[in-house]
Amino acid sequence: MLNDLLLLNKIKEGNIKAFEQLFRFYYSPLCLYAAGITGRMEIAEEIVQELFYTLWKEREKIQIFHSIKSYLYGAVRNQSLQYCEHRKIRNRYQEKILNNPLKEVPATDPQSRMEYEELKLINNTLNKLPERRNRIFRMHRFEGKKYNEIAAILAVSIKTVEAEMTKALQTLRKEIEHYTYLS
């Protein structure tokens, strides 16, 4: 704990070497911890990078009364849980908009109407895809599964998953281009 306080004091004074030491020591374990909560390594890395950015930017103001380790892990836990909660809310919102008839979207709110129309277009396009392609796309984009996880679940090769995702994205791009051209 004494080492933590000395390191923190050096960081507060602007010692970049002390900050780099802290970063190198905690970055990977924090990413693994965040990935365990969020289920996605790329999100975990963003959370940890943002934490260290904020730590450096606000170094003179930060008050840590216990250990740096408990502060970092607590901050990562809070941000990871906040990400998960935001993801749940976003998914519920998408479901609500897609499952509600158009007449329930407020006519006075152009933003809501536009979001509804875009989500409806995406959902309709996805529903036109072949069943396996649709399932692969939804598993990757909506459930956050990686290609190798999808391949294992569906008992197909990773190359098949990649090819299906490429085709799904091409189809979506064409529909979206057509939609934006008509708008």
Side-chain angles (χ1 to χ4, degrees), residues 2-164:
L2 186 59
N3 285 340
D4 279 359
L5 294 176
L6 291 172
L7 192 60
L8 182 60
N9 282 335
K10 287 181 180 180
I11 291 170
K12 282 184 172 191
E13 293 169 357
N15 186 325
I16 192 79
K17 296 280 187 205
F19 181 76
E20 287 173 356
Q21 179 184 353
L22 183 73
F23 181 86
R24 280 194 207 103
F25 188 76
Y26 284 109
Y27 181 77
S28 292
L30 287 171
C31 285
L32 292 173
Y33 180 62
I37 297 171
T38 64
R40 298 185 67 186
M41 183 54 87
E42 61 274 8
I43 298 300
E45 289 172 349
E46 285 180 31
I47 289 170
V48 174
Q49 288 168 8
E50 183 66 27
L51 170 65
F52 277 105
Y53 170 76
T54 303
L55 180 68
W56 180 254
K57 190 173 121 189
E58 304 291 327
R59 67 185 175 277
E60 295 168 352
K61 301 174 195 169
I62 289 183
Q63 298 292 320
I64 299 176
F65 300 107
H66 300 291
S67 70
I68 292 176
K69 180 180 180 179
S70 63
Y71 171 82
L72 293 173
Y73 276 89
V76 166
R77 181 188 67 244
N78 292 341
Q79 288 299 313
S80 298
L81 292 173
Q82 188 176 13
Y83 165 80
C84 291
E85 185 61 29
H86 178 71
R87 185 174 59 189
K88 285 180 196 172
I89 290 169
R90 187 181 69 227
N91 289 343
R92 275 187 299 211
Y93 176 72
Q94 286 176 345
E95 293 271 331
K96 180 181 174 186
I97 285 184
L98 290 173
N99 292 329
N100 282 339
L102 183 58
K103 65 183 178 212
E104 292 185 26
V105 177
T108 58
D109 185 0
Q111 181 69 28
S112 293
R113 182 169 297 287
M114 187 175 77
E115 286 175 1
Y116 173 81
E117 290 295 332
E118 289 171 355
L119 286 172
K120 185 176 161 188
L121 171 72
I122 290 169
N123 195 49
N124 289 341
T125 303
L126 291 178
N127 287 336
K128 292 176 190 173
L129 294 176
E131 185 179 334
R132 182 173 71 177
R133 190 171 303 155
N134 183 339
R135 187 163 181 214
I136 287 171
F137 183 87
R138 288 179 187 275
M139 289 172 80
H140 180 65
R141 290 298 171 107
F142 298 149
E143 298 172 24
K145 294 192 182 334
K146 296 182 183 331
Y147 286 2
N148 59 348
E149 294 172 314
I150 297 168
I153 291 168
L154 298 179
V156 297
S157 71
I158 294 174
K159 289 290 185 190
T160 300
V161 173
E162 291 173 357
E164 292 291 358

